[in-house]
């Protein structure tokens, strides 16, 4: 199609914007519970005149956007007035936290523990990190980690298999 033949161009999203919320929800919270929370959040946001005017439609739950070992990400969208989508997103997230707290739910997050050892000179063992006797560290010291690793690894040249 030649440019000269184009008579009219339109922007289908002219006059509105979309707040897109990717919410990580742990697997203990069912989709039905999330729908109920979204309805409750919408009722709460509609009580605020400024937010009510900013929201052109009720939220739409698009569905599960992604999965991980600890949670699923649910995409929720709200049609808003232009340039007010961020205000609606912030208000929705804030109210979601309130709803989750009421219901005992959680935002899904990855929990991990990182143990770090200090480098040592060859043959020497790094001193254990000094801790307060009233508040001992719940983590093992570098020396404890090294001694555990040394106990677990088989010594060189030894074998459990015997030749008969």
């Amino acid at each position: 199609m030649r440019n000269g033949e184009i008579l009219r161009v339109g922007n289908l999203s002219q006059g509105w914007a979309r707040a897109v919320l990717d919410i990580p929800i742990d697997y203990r919270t069912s989709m039905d519970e999330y729908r109920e929370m979204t309805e409750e959040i919408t009722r709460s946001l509609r009580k605020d005149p400024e937010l009510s005017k900013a929201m052109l439609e009720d939220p739409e739950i698009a569905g599960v956007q992604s999965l991980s070992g600890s949670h699923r990400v649910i995409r929720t969208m709200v049609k808003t007035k232009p340039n007010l989508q961020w205000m609606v997103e912030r208000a929705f997230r804030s109210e979601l936290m309130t709803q989750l707290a009421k219901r005992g739910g959680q935002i899904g997050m990855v929990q991990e523990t990182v143990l770090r050892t200090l480098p040592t000179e060859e043959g020497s063992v790094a001193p254990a990190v000094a801790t307060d006797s009233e508040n001992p560290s719940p983590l093992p010291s570098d020396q404890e980690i090294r001694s555990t690793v040394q106990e677990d690894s088989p010594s060189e040249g030894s074998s459990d298999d015997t030749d008969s």
Side-chain angles (χ1 to χ4, degrees):
M1 178 179 292
R2 294 187 340 237
N3 285 338
E5 293 181 19
I6 298 173
L7 301 175
R8 189 173 189 185
V9 176
N11 180 351
L12 296 179
S13 64
Q14 186 175 0
W16 61 275
R18 185 179 310 270
V20 179
L21 299 124
D22 288 335
I23 309 291
I25 300 290
D26 73 1
Y27 289 111
R28 290 175 285 187
T29 303
S30 72
M31 287 299 291
D32 289 336
E33 287 176 292
Y34 183 76
R35 281 186 195 89
E36 290 172 12
M37 282 190 285
T38 301
E39 291 169 6
E40 185 64 33
I41 291 166
T42 303
R43 283 192 290 275
S44 178
L45 296 180
R46 293 278 186 206
K47 291 177 185 175
D48 182 320
E50 189 176 356
L51 287 168
S52 186
K53 288 179 188 175
M55 295 170 54
L56 300 177
E57 293 178 0
D58 285 347
E60 172 192 343
I61 300 172
V64 177
Q65 187 69 15
S66 65
L67 300 170
S68 77
S70 61
H71 61 274
R72 63 182 173 263
V73 176
I74 301 173
R75 176 161 286 179
T76 305
M77 302 176 295
V78 184
K79 192 172 181 179
T80 69
K81 288 187 175 179
N83 296 322
L84 297 178
Q85 67 268 33
W86 300 288
M87 177 182 72
V88 172
E89 285 177 14
R90 286 189 298 272
F92 188 96
R93 285 188 191 102
S94 175
E95 192 59 33
L96 175 66
M97 294 302 295
T98 302
Q99 286 298 316
L100 283 169
K102 284 181 185 176
R103 297 167 185 254
Q106 290 183 329
I107 293 289
M109 55 187 115
V110 176
Q111 296 180 357
E112 55 187 34
T113 302
V114 177
L115 295 177
R116 189 177 131 206
T117 60
L118 300 173
T120 63
E121 296 176 23
E122 288 191 19
S124 67
V125 177
V129 177
T131 60
D132 213 3
S133 60
E134 294 176 15
N135 299 316
S137 171
L139 299 175
S141 68
D142 289 339
Q143 187 174 4
E144 291 171 321
I145 292 170
R146 285 190 184 88
S147 66
T148 304
V149 170
Q150 291 168 355
E151 289 171 6
D152 291 344
S153 63
S155 59
E156 291 182 31
S158 67
S159 173
D160 289 339
D161 298 330
T162 56
D163 294 324
S164 312

